[in-house]
Coordinates of all heavy atoms in Angstrom, one line a residue:
M1 N -10.5 11.2 0.3 CA -10.4 9.8 0.6 C -9.5 9.5 1.8 O -8.4 10.0 1.9 CB -9.8 9.1 -0.7 CG -10.7 9.1 -1.9 SD -9.9 8.1 -3.1 CE -10.6 9.0 -4.5
P2 N -10.0 8.7 2.7 CA -9.3 8.5 4.0 C -8.1 7.5 3.7 O -8.2 6.6 2.8 CB -10.3 7.8 4.9 CG -11.3 7.2 4.0 CD -11.4 8.1 2.8
L3 N -7.1 7.7 4.5 CA -6.0 6.8 4.4 C -6.3 5.5 5.0 O -6.8 5.4 6.1 CB -4.8 7.5 5.2 CG -3.5 6.7 5.2 CD1 -2.9 6.6 3.8 CD2 -2.5 7.4 6.1
A4 N -6.0 4.3 4.4 CA -6.3 3.0 4.7 C -5.1 2.3 5.3 O -5.3 1.5 6.2 CB -6.9 2.2 3.6
V5 N -4.0 2.5 4.7 CA -2.8 1.7 5.1 C -1.5 2.7 5.0 O -1.4 3.4 4.0 CB -2.6 0.4 4.4 CG1 -2.3 0.6 2.9 CG2 -1.5 -0.5 5.1
M6 N -0.6 2.5 5.9 CA 0.7 3.3 5.9 C 1.8 2.3 6.4 O 1.6 1.7 7.4 CB 0.6 4.5 6.7 CG 1.9 5.4 6.7 SD 1.7 7.0 7.5 CE 1.2 6.6 9.1
E7 N 2.8 2.3 5.6 CA 3.9 1.2 5.9 C 4.4 1.4 7.3 O 4.8 0.5 8.0 CB 5.0 1.2 4.8 CG 6.1 2.1 5.0 CD 5.9 3.6 4.8 OE1 5.0 4.2 5.4 OE2 6.6 4.2 4.0
S8 N 4.7 2.7 7.7 CA 5.3 2.9 9.0 C 4.4 2.3 10.2 O 4.9 1.9 11.2 CB 5.6 4.4 9.3 OG 4.3 5.1 9.2
V9 N 3.1 2.3 10.1 CA 2.2 1.7 11.0 C 2.4 0.2 11.0 O 2.6 -0.4 12.2 CB 0.7 2.0 10.8 CG1 -0.2 1.2 11.6 CG2 0.5 3.5 10.9
L10 N 2.5 -0.4 9.9 CA 2.8 -1.9 9.8 C 4.1 -2.2 10.4 O 4.2 -3.2 11.2 CB 2.7 -2.4 8.4 CG 1.4 -2.2 7.7 CD1 1.5 -2.4 6.2 CD2 0.3 -3.0 8.3
F11 N 5.2 -1.6 10.1 CA 6.6 -1.9 10.5 C 7.0 -1.3 11.8 O 7.6 -2.1 12.6 CB 7.6 -1.4 9.4 CG 7.5 -2.2 8.1 CD1 6.8 -1.8 7.1 CD2 8.2 -3.4 8.1 CE1 6.8 -2.5 5.9 CE2 8.2 -4.1 6.9 CZ 7.5 -3.7 5.8
V12 N 6.5 -0.2 12.2 CA 7.0 0.4 13.5 C 5.9 0.2 14.5 O 6.2 -0.3 15.6 CB 7.2 2.0 13.3 CG1 7.6 2.6 14.6 CG2 8.3 2.2 12.3
R13 N 4.7 0.6 14.4 CA 3.7 0.5 15.4 C 3.3 -0.9 15.7 O 3.2 -1.4 16.8 CB 2.4 1.3 15.1 CG 2.6 2.8 14.9 CD 2.7 3.4 16.3 NE 2.9 4.8 16.2 CZ 3.7 5.6 16.9 NH1 4.5 5.1 17.8 NH2 3.8 6.9 16.7
R14 N 3.0 -1.7 14.6 CA 2.6 -3.1 14.7 C 3.8 -4.0 14.8 O 3.6 -5.2 15.1 CB 1.7 -3.5 13.6 CG 0.3 -2.7 13.7 CD -0.7 -3.1 12.6 NE -1.0 -4.6 12.7 CZ -1.7 -5.2 11.8 NH1 -2.1 -4.6 10.7 NH2 -1.9 -6.5 11.9
E15 N 5.0 -3.5 14.5 CA 6.3 -4.3 14.5 C 6.2 -5.6 13.7 O 6.7 -6.6 14.1 CB 6.6 -4.6 16.0 CG 6.8 -3.4 16.9 CD 7.2 -3.7 18.3 OE1 6.9 -4.8 18.7 OE2 7.7 -2.8 18.9
L16 N 5.6 -5.4 12.5 CA 5.5 -6.6 11.6 C 6.8 -6.7 10.7 O 7.4 -5.7 10.5 CB 4.3 -6.5 10.6 CG 3.0 -6.4 11.3 CD1 1.8 -6.2 10.3 CD2 2.7 -7.6 12.2
G17 N 7.2 -7.9 10.3 CA 8.2 -8.1 9.3 C 7.6 -7.9 7.9 O 6.4 -7.7 7.7
A18 N 8.5 -8.0 6.9 CA 7.9 -7.7 5.5 C 6.9 -8.7 5.1 O 5.9 -8.3 4.6 CB 9.1 -7.9 4.6
D19 N 7.0 -10.0 5.4 CA 6.0 -11.0 5.0 C 4.7 -10.7 5.7 O 3.6 -10.8 5.2 CB 6.4 -12.4 5.2 CG 7.5 -12.8 4.2 OD1 7.7 -12.2 3.1 OD2 8.4 -13.7 4.6
E20 N 4.8 -10.5 7.0 CA 3.5 -10.2 7.8 C 2.8 -8.9 7.4 O 1.6 -8.8 7.3 CB 3.9 -10.1 9.3 CG 4.5 -11.3 9.9 CD 5.0 -11.0 11.3 OE1 5.9 -10.1 11.5 OE2 4.8 -11.7 12.2
A21 N 3.7 -7.9 7.1 CA 3.1 -6.6 6.6 C 2.3 -6.8 5.3 O 1.3 -6.2 5.0 CB 4.1 -5.6 6.5
L22 N 3.0 -7.7 4.4 CA 2.3 -7.9 3.2 C 1.0 -8.7 3.3 O 0.0 -8.4 2.7 CB 3.2 -8.7 2.3 CG 2.7 -9.0 0.8 CD1 2.5 -7.7 0.1 CD2 3.7 -9.9 0.1
R23 N 1.0 -9.7 4.3 CA -0.3 -10.4 4.5 C -1.3 -9.5 5.0 O -2.5 -9.6 4.6 CB 0.0 -11.5 5.4 CG 0.6 -12.7 4.7 CD 0.5 -14.1 5.7 NE 1.4 -13.8 6.9 CZ 2.7 -14.1 6.9 NH1 3.3 -14.5 5.8 NH2 3.4 -14.0 8.0
A24 N -1.0 -8.6 6.0 CA -1.9 -7.6 6.5 C -2.5 -6.7 5.4 O -3.7 -6.4 5.4 CB -1.3 -6.7 7.6
T25 N -1.6 -6.3 4.5 CA -2.1 -5.4 3.4 C -2.9 -6.1 2.4 O -3.9 -5.6 1.9 CB -0.8 -4.8 2.7 OG1 0.1 -4.1 3.7 CG2 -1.2 -3.7 1.7
E26 N -2.6 -7.4 2.1 CA -3.3 -8.2 1.2 C -4.8 -8.4 1.8 O -5.7 -8.4 1.0 CB -2.7 -9.6 0.9 CG -1.5 -9.4 0.0 CD -0.7 -10.8 -0.1 OE1 -0.9 -11.7 0.8 OE2 0.2 -10.8 -0.9
T27 N -4.9 -8.6 3.0 CA -6.2 -8.8 3.6 C -7.0 -7.5 3.5 O -8.2 -7.6 3.1 CB -6.0 -9.1 5.2 OG1 -5.3 -10.3 5.3 CG2 -7.4 -9.2 5.9
L28 N -6.4 -6.4 3.7 CA -7.1 -5.1 3.4 C -7.5 -4.9 2.0 O -8.6 -4.5 1.8 CB -6.2 -3.9 3.9 CG -6.8 -2.6 3.8 CD1 -8.1 -2.4 4.6 CD2 -5.8 -1.5 4.2
L29 N -6.6 -5.2 1.1 CA -6.9 -5.0 -0.3 C -8.0 -6.0 -0.7 O -8.9 -5.6 -1.5 CB -5.7 -5.3 -1.1 CG -4.5 -4.2 -1.0 CD1 -3.3 -4.7 -1.8 CD2 -5.0 -2.9 -1.6
E30 N -8.0 -7.2 -0.2 CA -9.1 -8.1 -0.5 C -10.4 -7.6 0.0 O -11.4 -7.7 -0.7 CB -8.7 -9.5 0.1 CG -9.8 -10.5 -0.2 CD -10.2 -10.7 -1.7 OE1 -9.4 -10.5 -2.5 OE2 -11.4 -11.1 -2.0
A31 N -10.5 -7.0 1.1 CA -11.7 -6.4 1.6 C -12.2 -5.3 0.8 O -13.4 -5.2 0.5 CB -11.6 -6.0 3.1
C32 N -11.4 -4.4 0.4 CA -11.7 -3.4 -0.6 C -12.2 -3.9 -1.9 O -13.2 -3.4 -2.4 CB -10.5 -2.5 -0.8 SG -9.9 -1.5 0.6
R33 N -11.6 -4.9 -2.4 CA -12.0 -5.5 -3.7 C -13.4 -6.1 -3.5 O -14.3 -5.9 -4.2 CB -11.0 -6.5 -4.2 CG -11.5 -7.1 -5.6 CD -10.7 -8.4 -5.8 NE -11.1 -9.5 -5.0 CZ -12.3 -10.1 -5.0 NH1 -13.1 -9.8 -5.9 NH2 -12.5 -11.1 -4.2
R34 N -13.6 -6.9 -2.4 CA -14.8 -7.6 -2.2 C -16.0 -6.6 -2.1 O -17.1 -6.9 -2.6 CB -14.7 -8.4 -0.9 CG -15.9 -9.3 -0.7 CD -15.8 -10.2 0.6 NE -14.6 -10.9 0.6 CZ -13.7 -10.9 1.6 NH1 -14.0 -10.2 2.7 NH2 -12.6 -11.6 1.6
Y35 N -15.8 -5.5 -1.4 CA -16.9 -4.6 -1.2 C -17.0 -3.3 -2.0 O -17.7 -2.4 -1.8 CB -16.9 -4.2 0.3 CG -17.1 -5.4 1.2 CD1 -16.1 -5.9 1.9 CD2 -18.3 -6.1 1.2 CE1 -16.3 -7.1 2.8 CE2 -18.5 -7.2 2.1 CZ -17.4 -7.7 2.8 OH -17.7 -8.8 3.6
G36 N -16.0 -3.4 -3.0 CA -16.0 -2.2 -4.0 C -15.5 -1.0 -3.4 O -15.8 0.2 -3.8
G37 N -14.6 -1.1 -2.4 CA -14.0 0.0 -1.7 C -12.7 0.6 -2.5 O -12.3 0.0 -3.4
V38 N -12.1 1.6 -1.8 CA -10.9 2.2 -2.3 C -9.9 2.0 -1.2 O -10.2 2.2 0.0 CB -11.2 3.6 -2.6 CG1 -9.9 4.4 -2.9 CG2 -12.2 3.9 -3.6
C39 N -8.7 1.7 -1.6 CA -7.6 1.6 -0.6 C -6.6 2.7 -0.9 O -5.9 2.7 -1.9 CB -6.9 0.3 -0.7 SG -5.6 0.0 0.5
V40 N -6.5 3.7 0.0 CA -5.6 4.7 -0.1 C -4.3 4.3 0.8 O -4.5 4.0 1.9 CB -6.1 6.1 0.4 CG1 -5.0 7.1 0.3 CG2 -7.3 6.5 -0.5
A41 N -3.2 4.2 0.1 CA -2.0 3.7 0.8 C -1.0 4.8 0.8 O -0.9 5.6 -0.2 CB -1.5 2.4 0.2
L42 N -0.1 4.8 1.9 CA 1.0 5.8 1.9 C 2.3 5.0 2.1 O 2.3 4.3 3.1 CB 0.7 6.8 3.0 CG 1.9 7.8 3.3 CD1 2.1 8.7 2.2 CD2 1.5 8.6 4.6
W43 N 3.2 5.3 1.3 CA 4.6 4.8 1.5 C 5.5 6.1 1.6 O 5.4 6.9 0.7 CB 5.1 3.9 0.4 CG 4.5 2.5 0.5 CD1 4.9 1.5 1.2 CD2 3.3 2.1 -0.2 NE1 4.1 0.4 1.0 CE2 3.1 0.8 0.1 CE3 2.4 2.7 -1.0 CZ2 2.0 0.0 -0.4 CZ3 1.4 1.9 -1.6 CH2 1.2 0.6 -1.2
H44 N 6.4 6.1 2.5 CA 7.3 7.3 2.7 C 8.5 7.0 1.7 O 8.9 5.9 1.4 CB 7.7 7.4 4.1 CG 6.7 7.8 5.0 ND1 5.8 6.9 5.6 CD2 6.3 9.0 5.4 CE1 5.0 7.6 6.3 NE2 5.1 8.8 6.2
N45 N 9.2 8.2 1.4 CA 10.4 8.1 0.6 C 11.5 7.3 1.2 O 12.5 7.1 0.5 CB 10.8 9.5 0.1 CG 11.2 10.4 1.2 OD1 11.0 10.1 2.3 ND2 11.7 11.5 0.8
T46 N 11.5 7.0 2.4 CA 12.5 6.2 3.1 C 12.5 4.7 2.8 O 13.3 3.9 3.1 CB 12.4 6.4 4.6 OG1 11.1 6.0 5.0 CG2 12.7 7.8 5.0
L47 N 11.4 4.3 2.0 CA 11.2 2.9 1.8 C 12.3 2.3 1.1 O 12.5 1.0 1.1 CB 9.9 2.7 0.9 CG 9.7 3.2 -0.4 CD1 10.1 2.2 -1.5 CD2 8.3 3.6 -0.6
W48 N 13.2 3.1 0.3 CA 14.4 2.4 -0.4 C 15.6 2.4 0.5 O 16.6 1.9 0.0 CB 14.6 3.1 -1.6 CG 13.4 3.1 -2.5 CD1 12.7 4.2 -3.0 CD2 12.8 2.0 -3.1 NE1 11.6 3.8 -3.8 CE2 11.7 2.5 -3.8 CE3 13.0 0.6 -3.0 CZ2 10.8 1.6 -4.5 CZ3 12.1 -0.3 -3.6 CH2 11.0 0.2 -4.4
D49 N 15.5 2.8 1.8 CA 16.6 2.8 2.7 C 16.6 1.5 3.4 O 16.1 1.3 4.5 CB 16.5 4.0 3.6 CG 17.7 4.1 4.6 OD1 18.5 3.1 4.6 OD2 17.8 5.0 5.3
E50 N 17.2 0.4 2.8 CA 17.1 -0.9 3.4 C 17.8 -1.1 4.6 O 17.5 -1.9 5.5 CB 17.6 -1.9 2.4 CG 17.4 -3.4 2.7 CD 16.0 -3.8 2.8 OE1 15.1 -3.2 2.2 OE2 15.7 -4.7 3.6
R51 N 18.8 -0.2 4.9 CA 19.6 -0.3 6.2 C 18.7 0.1 7.4 O 18.7 -0.6 8.4 CB 20.9 0.5 6.1 CG 21.8 0.2 7.3 CD 23.0 1.1 7.3 NE 22.5 2.4 7.8 CZ 23.3 3.5 7.8 NH1 24.4 3.5 7.2 NH2 22.8 4.6 8.3
D52 N 18.1 1.2 7.2 CA 17.3 1.8 8.3 C 15.8 1.3 8.3 O 15.1 1.4 9.4 CB 17.3 3.3 8.3 CG 18.7 3.8 8.7 OD1 19.4 3.1 9.4 OD2 19.1 4.9 8.3
F53 N 15.3 0.9 7.1 CA 13.9 0.6 7.0 C 13.8 -0.8 6.3 O 13.2 -0.8 5.1 CB 13.2 1.6 6.2 CG 13.2 2.9 7.0 CD1 14.2 3.9 6.7 CD2 12.4 3.3 8.0 CE1 14.3 5.2 7.3 CE2 12.5 4.5 8.7 CZ 13.4 5.4 8.4
P54 N 14.4 -1.9 6.8 CA 14.4 -3.1 6.0 C 13.0 -3.7 5.8 O 12.2 -3.7 6.6 CB 15.1 -4.1 7.0 CG 15.0 -3.4 8.4 CD 14.8 -2.0 8.1
G55 N 12.8 -4.1 4.5 CA 11.6 -4.7 4.1 C 10.5 -3.7 3.5 O 9.5 -4.1 2.9
W56 N 10.7 -2.4 3.8 CA 9.7 -1.4 3.4 C 9.6 -1.4 1.8 O 8.5 -1.4 1.3 CB 10.1 -0.1 3.9 CG 9.9 0.1 5.4 CD1 10.1 -0.9 6.4 CD2 9.5 1.2 6.1 NE1 9.9 -0.4 7.6 CE2 9.5 0.9 7.5 CE3 9.2 2.5 5.7 CZ2 9.2 1.9 8.5 CZ3 8.9 3.5 6.7 CH2 8.9 3.1 8.1
G57 N 10.7 -1.4 1.1 CA 10.7 -1.4 -0.3 C 10.1 -2.6 -0.9 O 9.3 -2.6 -1.9
V58 N 10.5 -3.7 -0.4 CA 9.8 -5.0 -0.8 C 8.3 -5.0 -0.6 O 7.5 -5.5 -1.4 CB 10.5 -6.2 0.0 CG1 9.7 -7.5 -0.3 CG2 11.9 -6.3 -0.5
H59 N 7.9 -4.5 0.6 CA 6.5 -4.4 0.9 C 5.8 -3.5 -0.2 O 4.7 -3.9 -0.7 CB 6.2 -3.8 2.2 CG 4.8 -3.5 2.5 ND1 4.3 -2.3 2.5 CD2 3.8 -4.4 2.9 CE1 3.0 -2.4 2.8 NE2 2.7 -3.6 3.1
F60 N 6.3 -2.4 -0.6 CA 5.7 -1.5 -1.6 C 5.7 -2.3 -2.9 O 4.6 -2.3 -3.6 CB 6.7 -0.3 -1.8 CG 6.3 0.6 -2.9 CD1 5.2 1.4 -2.8 CD2 7.1 0.6 -4.0 CE1 5.0 2.2 -3.9 CE2 6.9 1.5 -5.1 CZ 5.7 2.3 -5.0
E61 N 6.8 -2.9 -3.4 CA 6.8 -3.6 -4.6 C 5.8 -4.7 -4.7 O 5.0 -4.9 -5.7 CB 8.1 -4.1 -5.0 CG 9.1 -3.0 -5.3 CD 10.6 -3.4 -5.6 OE1 10.9 -4.5 -5.1 OE2 11.3 -2.7 -6.3
R62 N 5.8 -5.6 -3.7 CA 4.9 -6.7 -3.6 C 3.4 -6.3 -3.6 O 2.5 -6.9 -4.1 CB 5.2 -7.7 -2.5 CG 6.5 -8.4 -2.7 CD 6.8 -9.4 -1.7 NE 8.1 -10.0 -1.8 CZ 8.6 -10.8 -0.9 NH1 8.0 -10.9 0.3 NH2 9.7 -11.4 -1.1
T63 N 3.1 -5.2 -2.8 CA 1.7 -4.8 -2.7 C 1.2 -4.3 -4.1 O 0.1 -4.7 -4.5 CB 1.7 -3.6 -1.7 OG1 2.0 -4.1 -0.4 CG2 0.2 -3.0 -1.7
L64 N 2.1 -3.6 -4.8 CA 1.6 -3.1 -6.2 C 1.5 -4.3 -7.1 O 0.5 -4.4 -7.9 CB 2.6 -2.1 -6.7 CG 2.7 -0.7 -6.0 CD1 3.7 0.2 -6.7 CD2 1.3 -0.2 -5.9
Q65 N 2.4 -5.3 -7.0 CA 2.3 -6.5 -7.8 C 1.0 -7.2 -7.6 O 0.3 -7.7 -8.5 CB 3.5 -7.4 -7.6 CG 4.8 -6.8 -8.2 CD 6.1 -7.6 -7.7 OE1 6.0 -8.5 -6.8 NE2 7.2 -7.3 -8.2
Q66 N 0.7 -7.4 -6.2 CA -0.5 -8.2 -5.9 C -1.8 -7.3 -6.4 O -2.7 -8.0 -6.9 CB -0.6 -8.3 -4.4 CG 0.4 -9.4 -3.9 CD 0.0 -10.7 -4.2 OE1 -1.2 -11.1 -4.5 NE2 1.0 -11.7 -4.2
A67 N -1.7 -6.1 -6.2 CA -3.0 -5.3 -6.6 C -3.2 -5.3 -8.1 O -4.3 -5.5 -8.6 CB -2.8 -3.9 -6.1
S68 N -2.0 -5.2 -8.8 CA -2.1 -5.2 -10.3 C -2.6 -6.5 -10.8 O -3.4 -6.7 -11.6 CB -0.7 -4.9 -10.9 OG -0.8 -4.9 -12.2
A69 N -2.1 -7.6 -10.1 CA -2.4 -9.0 -10.6 C -3.9 -9.2 -10.4 O -4.5 -10.0 -11.1 CB -1.6 -10.0 -9.8
K70 N -4.6 -8.5 -9.5 CA -6.0 -8.8 -9.2 C -6.8 -7.7 -9.9 O -8.1 -7.6 -9.7 CB -6.3 -8.6 -7.7 CG -5.6 -9.9 -7.0 CD -6.3 -10.3 -5.8 CE -5.5 -11.5 -5.2 NZ -6.3 -12.2 -4.3
G71 N -6.2 -6.9 -10.8 CA -7.0 -5.9 -11.7 C -7.3 -4.6 -11.0 O -8.1 -3.9 -11.4
A72 N -6.6 -4.2 -10.0 CA -6.8 -3.0 -9.2 C -6.4 -1.9 -10.1 O -5.4 -1.9 -10.9 CB -6.1 -2.9 -8.0
F73 N -7.1 -0.7 -10.0 CA -6.7 0.5 -10.6 C -5.8 1.1 -9.7 O -6.1 1.4 -8.6 CB -8.0 1.4 -10.9 CG -7.7 2.8 -11.3 CD1 -7.1 3.0 -12.6 CD2 -7.8 3.8 -10.5 CE1 -6.8 4.2 -13.0 CE2 -7.4 5.1 -10.9 CZ -7.0 5.3 -12.2
I74 N -4.6 1.5 -10.2 CA -3.5 2.1 -9.3 C -3.2 3.5 -9.9 O -2.9 3.6 -11.1 CB -2.3 1.2 -9.3 CG1 -2.6 -0.2 -8.8 CG2 -1.2 1.9 -8.5 CD1 -1.5 -1.2 -8.9
A75 N -3.2 4.5 -9.0 CA -3.0 5.8 -9.5 C -2.6 6.7 -8.2 O -2.8 6.3 -7.1 CB -4.3 6.5 -10.0
D76 N -2.0 7.8 -8.5 CA -1.7 8.7 -7.4 C -3.1 9.4 -7.0 O -4.1 9.3 -7.7 CB -0.8 9.9 -7.9 CG -1.3 10.7 -9.0 OD1 -2.0 11.7 -8.7 OD2 -1.0 10.3 -10.2
L77 N -3.1 9.9 -5.8 CA -4.4 10.4 -5.3 C -5.1 11.5 -6.1 O -6.2 11.5 -6.4 CB -4.2 10.9 -3.8 CG -5.4 11.2 -3.0 CD1 -6.5 10.1 -3.0 CD2 -5.0 11.6 -1.6
Q78 N -4.3 12.4 -6.6 CA -4.8 13.5 -7.5 C -5.5 12.9 -8.7 O -6.6 13.4 -8.9 CB -3.7 14.4 -7.9 CG -4.2 15.6 -8.7 CD -3.1 16.6 -9.0 OE1 -1.9 16.3 -8.8 NE2 -3.5 17.7 -9.6
S79 N -4.9 12.0 -9.3 CA -5.6 11.4 -10.5 C -6.8 10.6 -10.1 O -7.9 10.7 -10.9 CB -4.6 10.4 -11.3 OG -3.5 11.1 -11.7
A80 N -6.7 9.9 -9.0 CA -7.9 9.1 -8.6 C -9.1 10.0 -8.3 O -10.3 9.7 -8.6 CB -7.6 8.3 -7.4
I81 N -8.9 11.2 -7.7 CA -9.9 12.1 -7.4 C -10.5 12.8 -8.7 O -11.7 12.8 -8.8 CB -9.4 13.3 -6.4 CG1 -9.1 12.6 -5.1 CG2 -10.4 14.4 -6.4 CD1 -8.4 13.5 -4.1
K82 N -9.6 13.1 -9.7 CA -10.1 13.6 -10.9 C -11.0 12.6 -11.6 O -12.0 12.9 -12.2 CB -8.9 13.9 -11.8 CG -8.2 15.3 -11.4 CD -7.1 15.6 -12.4 CE -6.3 16.8 -11.9 NZ -5.2 17.0 -12.8
I83 N -10.6 11.3 -11.6 CA -11.4 10.3 -12.2 C -12.7 10.1 -11.5 O -13.7 9.9 -12.1 CB -10.6 8.9 -12.3 CG1 -9.4 9.1 -13.3 CG2 -11.5 7.8 -12.6 CD1 -8.4 8.1 -13.2
G84 N -12.6 10.1 -10.2 CA -13.9 10.0 -9.4 C -14.9 11.1 -9.7 O -16.1 11.0 -9.8
V85 N -14.4 12.4 -9.9 CA -15.2 13.5 -10.3 C -15.8 13.4 -11.7 O -16.9 13.5 -12.0 CB -14.5 14.8 -10.1 CG1 -15.2 15.9 -10.6 CG2 -14.1 15.0 -8.6
S86 N -14.9 13.0 -12.6 CA -15.3 12.9 -14.0 C -16.0 11.6 -14.4 O -16.7 11.5 -15.4 CB -14.1 13.1 -15.0 OG -13.2 12.0 -15.0
G87 N -15.7 10.5 -13.6 CA -16.2 9.2 -13.9 C -15.6 8.5 -15.1 O -16.0 7.5 -15.5
Q88 N -14.4 9.1 -15.6 CA -13.8 8.5 -16.8 C -12.3 8.3 -16.4 O -11.6 9.1 -15.8 CB -13.8 9.5 -18.0 CG -15.2 9.8 -18.4 CD -15.2 10.8 -19.6 OE1 -14.3 11.4 -19.9 NE2 -16.4 10.9 -20.2
V89 N -11.8 7.1 -16.9 CA -10.4 6.7 -16.7 C -9.7 7.1 -18.0 O -10.2 6.8 -19.1 CB -10.3 5.1 -16.5 CG1 -8.8 4.9 -16.4 CG2 -11.0 4.8 -15.2
G90 N -8.6 7.8 -17.8 CA -7.7 8.2 -19.0 C -8.1 9.5 -19.5 O -8.4 10.3 -20.1

């Protein structure tokens, strides 16, 4: 599954703030939902370092909250691949 979004691209390359990064991610998630796609997202373990990476942790939490509120299936990549192969959740 190809990578669709990575927080460092939003914050470093695109130079977005936390609210802007969340809006960009929400737009991507909505397109995935609308067309039945999959959104593979990557957050680095530095996301909880608020001093050096401000807003990254908030972006992570809010993205998961938004996705969950819209009924998204959230899993680690290994689990998602297993489910895709078997066709069964759980």
Side-chain angles (χ1 to χ4, degrees):
M1 291 186 209
L3 183 63
V5 65
M6 181 170 59
E7 90 290 55
S8 61
V9 170
L10 297 170
F11 288 96
V12 178
R13 297 283 185 221
R14 293 183 60 189
E15 299 180 346
L16 302 179
D19 290 336
E20 296 169 311
L22 184 61
R23 281 192 295 277
T25 304
E26 288 173 343
T27 299
L28 178 63
L29 291 174
E30 177 57 26
C32 290
R33 186 197 64 75
R34 183 179 311 127
Y35 298 107
V38 174
C39 180
V40 176
L42 171 65
W43 286 274
H44 293 87
N45 60 350
T46 55
L47 65 94
W48 302 119
D49 181 352
E50 189 62 25
R51 190 184 80 192
D52 291 332
F53 303 95
W56 292 31
V58 170
H59 174 261
F60 173 74
E61 290 175 336
R62 288 186 184 169
T63 297
L64 293 182
Q65 289 167 355
Q66 289 287 338
S68 179
K70 296 210 178 192
F73 171 72
I74 301 170
D76 62 88
L77 187 56
Q78 182 178 7
S79 298
I81 291 170
K82 284 180 184 177
I83 291 165
V85 171
S86 71
Q88 297 179 349
V89 176

